[in-house]
Structures are given as C-alpha cells and as structure tokens.
Amino acid sequence: QVQLLESGGNSVQAGGSLTLSCAVSGYIDCTYDMSWFREAPGKEREFVSGIVSDRVTNYADSVKGRFTISQDNAKRTVYLQMNSLKPEDTAMYYCKVDRFAPSMSRCRPDNPWGRGTQVTVSS
C-alpha cells in the first residue's frame, strides 16, 4: 500500500511559523511530484504550492514570500515551511501526489490525497 501521511499542523499565533510534512510510504525507487492544498471552513479547497522534479516550485499568490515547499526524495517526503502566518491561513492542509514514477502499480498511491493536518492561526 502506498499512502500519504501529513503531520506538523498546530495552533499558532499570527506571525508564527510551522513546518508541515507529508511522507509517502512505499518502495524506495518511487519518486513523486507533489502539491499542498488547503481547505478552510465554508470554502473550496485551494492550491497552495507544488513541486516538480524535486526543484521546480510554484506558489499561490497569497503565500508567495512566506511559504517554502521542499522535497527529500530519499525520504519520499515533501515539506511546507510556513512563516509569517496569518489568521487567513487557518485551514486543513492536504498534500497530494500529482505524478509518480516509474508508472507502475507499486508506486501508485491508494489515494492521491492525504487525510490532512489542521493549521490554526490566531490573531
């Protein structure tokens, strides 16, 4: 089974920092392009950041300059460093597998989405 497991969510005050992690279980020779999304109560799930080939990154405008995505392929883990957090960053954060290689069943996640980790930022 290939599963995603997020961690690192917490409650912090505005201006604080958190680092989220998303580990992908499975075979060591599998690699993944991944993204972070978030979903606030009453709002649609939105893209936060993505990473391709371990180095090409992109960010939503709302988090540019504050969040940094990185990946450790050896650990099959993607990170989201979040600085200068704002109350509007409060949401459930989900990681997602966008692509995997090699294109074999042993690398395919059972569900491309993790279960989420809660981030709450108080003013």
Side-chain angles (χ1 to χ4, degrees):
Q1 283 186 326
V2 179
Q3 296 181 328
L4 284 65
L5 181 62
E6 300 102 330
S7 62
N10 211 329
S11 296
V12 297
Q13 290 192 328
S17 298
L18 284 174
T19 299
L20 307 183
S21 300
C22 176
V24 184
S25 65
Y27 290 89
I28 196 170
D29 65 331
C30 302
T31 59
Y32 299 91
D33 292 340
M34 300 185 70
S35 297
W36 285 96
F37 285 73
R38 66 187 181 187
E39 186 172 335
K43 295 187 177 181
E44 292 187 354
R45 191 170 297 188
E46 64 175 3
F47 172 81
V48 175
S49 181
I51 187 165
V52 177
S53 299
D54 196 26
R55 62 184 182 277
V56 178
T57 60
N58 58 93
Y59 299 92
D61 288 343
S62 60
V63 307
K64 278 182 182 176
R66 300 188 298 122
F67 290 11
T68 302
I69 191 171
S70 61
Q71 189 170 19
D72 183 336
N73 274 328
K75 296 181 180 180
R76 294 186 308 285
T77 300
V78 63
Y79 304 94
L80 186 68
Q81 173 68 44
M82 306 186 295
N83 298 325
S84 302
L85 283 162
K86 304 175 181 180
E88 51 263 44
D89 294 319
T90 295
M92 184 72 80
Y93 283 71
Y94 299 89
C95 65
K96 176 180 176 286
V97 169
D98 297 321
R99 284 169 296 277
F100 59 90
S103 183
M104 303 179 71
S105 59
R106 70 170 188 268
C107 295
R108 180 181 296 112
D110 298 339
N111 186 332
W113 294 92
R115 294 187 176 183
T117 185
Q118 178 68 40
V119 172
T120 302
V121 185
S122 58
S123 57

